[in-house]
Amino acid sequence: MSQSVPTDTQQSVDAPTRSVGDLLVSLGVLALGGYFAYGAFNISVAQSYSRVGPRFFPFLVAAGLLLCGALLLVQALRGTTALPEEGEDVDLDVPPDYRAVAVIGASLVTYVLLLEPLGFVLASALLFWGVAAAFGSRVWFRDPLVGLVLALIVYLAFTRLLGLRLPAGMLAPLGL
Amino acid sequence: MEALGALLDGFAVALTLPNLGWALLGVTLGTVVGVLPGIGPALTVALLLPVTFRLDPVGSFIMFAGIYYGGMYGGSTTSILLNTPGESASIITSLEGNKMARRGRGGAALATAAIGSFVAGTLATAALTFVAPLMVDVALRFGPADYFALMVLAFTTVASLLGSSVLRGVTSLLLGLGLGLVGIDLQTGQARYTLGVPEMLDGVNVVIVAVGLFAVGEAFYVASRLRRGDQDVTPIRGGVWMSREDWRRSWRPWLRGSLLGFPLGALPAGGAEIPTFLSYALEKRLSKNRAEFGHGAIEGVAGPEAANNAAAAGVLVPLLTLGLPTSATAAIMLAAFQQFGLQPGPLLFQTSPDLVWGLIASLYIGNAMLLVLNLPLVGLWVRLLFIPRPLLYAGILVFAALGTYSLNNSVIDLITLFVIGFVGFLMRRYAFPVAPAVVGMILGPMAEQQFRRALSISQGDPSVFVREPISAAFLALAFLAIATPLLAPLFRRR
């Protein structure tokens, strides 16, 4: 069964080769723990309230995060590196493509900014196009068109059949 | 038997035309999202929550249960025919299943998976029917301290069993617990961690967290490591059926898988992964064809697939009788109950018998529908594997944004979604399991409430948790669940 048990981490055998990413992640967990501890001090507690108050669980979570962050830091310093998750569409043998991540990030920011001014249909079509491009699609005329048709169908189904409200935006004059 | 009468009433609910329609819609959707990579039952139910807000709760839950069961069936099709390793719950099936498919025995592999899922699902649903009322009797005796200890046990098992590093599981769980703290404290009305944003006073919606971690995080991650080239789908030769020999080799693994899966799924022990692993190991030991393992042994598909489905039914026992979710999908179902103002637990069996028994009856019906959907129609689902990935993930993100925005028509929710999505990307990259965060987020506020309730009953005396025998036993088990994997290496070295 050795091949079937997935392992999450890998220990470098010879001189510790430290991964900057693992170090940063452990520092991030520590920072999050610090933030929760800081926030817990700022939760006001009524003086008369003697029982376990609203601060107790926040302190517990903060302490847990600080402990886990410290252990992760020790692991990272010792050269334990996390192995990325496997998946059907994931190829761990190719170098990670952070440009694709950036393109999706940019598409999401654009979506947040344009959803209400442009309306659901146009903003969603743009998001669809951007994400498809990030996934390496180069069929420029197909992607925005598919996105537009999909968004239009979803918009009509949601607003007409299910009675939910979505921003009409620039398409409002068309009576949508 | 009391349970049989209740079940018959449940069938009267589930067999009405609209509810049969919801069940069919649910199992079809479930099969589709089970087959498709990048989207699963937890995400689908989360995305449907805003839509079902105005629907009848009974119909909605029958649909959700169909999605939940359907996802299990659909997942096996992918792991048998797609020649790439999937997520860990289905990786076992692909070990032997894909080897069988490549030797031209894909039809038999799909058949034993579907029929085994049906057998196990039906047996486990029957077990659920009779175990649930007994559990309700036990649960009615639980006090706040016992509930709190039980939730601690669920936390530790979920954190240590999902994924293989306890440290990373616990970190993920704590992240979820932290997210659950955001908002107004129910007991004292104090705002916690709201960053001064008024929208945050209501807390972070679990739908946003689930959709962010599952859909947006997955899209980011897959984009960064996309498998290029054509999809490597192994074609099925011949029909989807089994020979007499296949039947002979399959029926015992089905039964053993069911026996293993249901109790392990019903324990608060993190869902379907462990029983699947155990069933594979067991079949490999017991098989007369041990040499065939690793090259496409049908027992290695039949057993784990049965265990998988039986565990899925088992997970419903703590969810329905105790209100305790032990997998990501169960956590989302709990959120769905809360959306309808219902609290799963022993009282739900008394206050909403229609809903509970209608849901259980619909599981029998759903399983029968899934057998029909997955045997003759499997060729249809296989085509889903050929959807170009850019269009698939673009569509998933459009639906993720839509589902989130339609919760409150709020752009703040969208920003939260995308930030959490990026966290989900980092978690995948750095091997933190995502499911403990979702379970922690939904269960955390409940645990805090029970904890404080127990202490106010005991006048602030913390020994209440160890003086109550049930509570003490749960806490001891919880300690073992965390300590065993951490301490085991120390002993092995000597």
Side-chain angles (χ1 to χ4, degrees), chain B residues 329-408:
Chain B
T329 316
I332 303 298
M333 301 250 281
L334 182 66
F337 276 108
Q338 289 171 349
Q339 175 181 282
F340 287 108
L342 302 164
Q343 183 59 48
L347 295 178
L348 191 69
F349 282 75
Q350 288 160 15
T351 55
S352 317
D354 274 15
L355 174 69
V356 178
W357 290 103
L359 175 67
I360 294 176
S362 81
L363 296 175
Y364 291 96
I365 300 167
N367 258 312
M369 286 177 172
L370 279 164
L371 187 64
V372 177
L373 279 182
N374 278 274
L375 278 182
L377 296 180
V378 71
L380 197 67
W381 311 124
V382 173
R383 282 191 218 156
L384 290 172
L385 291 174
F386 293 97
I387 292 181
R389 293 308 182 252
L391 300 186
L392 174 64
Y393 285 94
I396 290 175
L397 276 195
V398 166
F399 277 101
L402 166 74
T404 304
Y405 184 78
S406 53
L407 286 171
N408 302 310

Side-chain angles (χ1 to χ4, degrees), chain A residues 30-65:
Chain A
L30 278 172
L32 195 67
Y35 169 72
F36 269 97
Y38 168 77
F41 281 112
N42 287 345
I43 299 168
S44 48
V45 187
Q47 287 295 328
S48 59
Y49 202 79
S50 59
R51 307 261 159 75
V52 173
R55 279 178 166 188
F56 184 77
F57 257 62
F59 274 124
L60 221 57
V61 170
L65 281 171

Side-chain angles (χ1 to χ4, degrees), chain A residues 6 8 21 35-36 40 44 52 54 58 64 68 84-91 96-97 116 135 154 163 165 167, chain B residues 54 84-85 87 164 171 174 185 190 192-193 195 219 221 224-225 227 389 393-394 402 405 409 428 430 451-452 455:
Chain A
D8 286 346
Y35 169 72
F36 269 97
S44 48
V52 173
C68 287
E85 189 181 278
E86 300 204 358
E88 283 102 348
D89 284 344
V90 171
D91 187 352
D97 176 5
E116 283 173 356
F135 274 86
V154 167
R165 281 193 318 175
Chain B
R54 286 151 215 228
T84 52
E87 65 264 46
S164 65
T171 309
L174 286 166
D185 172 39
Q190 294 298 328
R192 299 192 290 192
Y193 304 106
L195 304 167
Y221 182 62
S224 77
R225 303 264 181 172
R227 193 180 292 279
R389 293 308 182 252
Y393 285 94
L402 166 74
Y405 184 78
N409 282 26
R428 283 176 172 75
Y430 290 100
F451 179 78
R452 286 158 74 174
L455 280 183

Side-chain angles (χ1 to χ4, degrees), chain B residues 171-195:
Chain B
T171 309
S172 167
L173 174 75
L174 286 166
L175 177 72
L177 290 175
L179 282 169
L181 289 174
V182 176
I184 286 188
D185 172 39
L186 289 176
Q187 265 105 338
T188 61
Q190 294 298 328
R192 299 192 290 192
Y193 304 106
T194 54
L195 304 167

Side-chain angles (χ1 to χ4, degrees), chain A residues 1 3-9 19-22 25 29 32 35-46 49 51-65 67-69 71-72 75 80-98 100-102 104-105 108-109 111-113 115-116 120 124-125 127-129 131-137 142-143 146 150-151 154 158 162-167, chain B residues 37-38 50-51 54-55 75 78-79 82 84-88 90-92 95 99 148 155 163-165 167-168 170-171 174-175 177-179 181-182 185 187-188 190-195 216 218-228 231 273 277-278 280-281 284 294 388-395 397-399 401-402 405-406 409-411 414-415 418 422 425-434 444 447-448 451-452 455-456 459-460:
Chain A
M1 209 172 118
Q3 66 189 116
S4 60
V5 178
T7 46
D8 286 346
T9 52
S19 131
V20 180
D22 282 280
V25 165
V29 174
L32 195 67
Y35 169 72
F36 269 97
Y38 168 77
F41 281 112
N42 287 345
I43 299 168
S44 48
V45 187
Y49 202 79
R51 307 261 159 75
V52 173
R55 279 178 166 188
F56 184 77
F57 257 62
F59 274 124
L60 221 57
V61 170
L65 281 171
L67 180 68
C68 287
L71 292 173
L72 287 168
Q75 278 198 353
T80 306
T81 46
L83 296 179
E85 189 181 278
E86 300 204 358
E88 283 102 348
D89 284 344
V90 171
D91 187 352
L92 295 181
D93 296 332
V94 297
D97 176 5
Y98 291 115
V101 176
I104 295 181
L108 296 179
V109 172
Y111 188 76
V112 167
L113 294 176
L115 175 63
E116 283 173 356
F120 174 79
S124 297
L127 174 66
F128 191 95
W129 192 6
V131 176
F135 274 86
S137 171
R142 178 193 68 182
D143 298 343
V146 173
L150 177 78
V154 167
F158 267 59
L162 295 167
L164 292 165
R165 281 193 318 175
L166 292 169
Chain B
V51 181
R54 286 151 215 228
L55 299 178
T78 309
S79 43
L82 205 57
T84 52
E87 65 264 46
S88 47
S90 62
I91 206 166
I92 293 290
L95 279 182
K99 296 273 164 44
F148 173 73
F155 286 150
S164 65
S165 152
L167 175 58
R168 280 158 205 278
V170 172
T171 309
L174 286 166
L175 177 72
L177 290 175
L179 282 169
L181 289 174
V182 176
D185 172 39
Q187 265 105 338
T188 61
Q190 294 298 328
R192 299 192 290 192
Y193 304 106
T194 54
L195 304 167
V216 183
E218 178 84 357
F220 270 127
Y221 182 62
V222 173
S224 77
R225 303 264 181 172
L226 186 63
R227 193 180 292 279
R228 305 279 166 178
Q231 286 306 313
E273 223 162 285
F277 280 119
L278 287 179
Y280 183 80
K284 195 170 174 178
R389 293 308 182 252
L391 300 186
L392 174 64
Y393 285 94
L397 276 195
V398 166
F399 277 101
L402 166 74
Y405 184 78
S406 53
N409 282 26
S410 150
V411 175
L414 282 178
I415 296 171
F418 298 153
F422 193 73
F425 164 65
L426 290 178
M427 289 174 78
R428 283 176 172 75
R429 168 60 189 85
Y430 290 100
F432 293 92
V434 174
E448 182 178 15
F451 179 78
R452 286 158 74 174
L455 280 183
S456 68
Q459 315 265 319

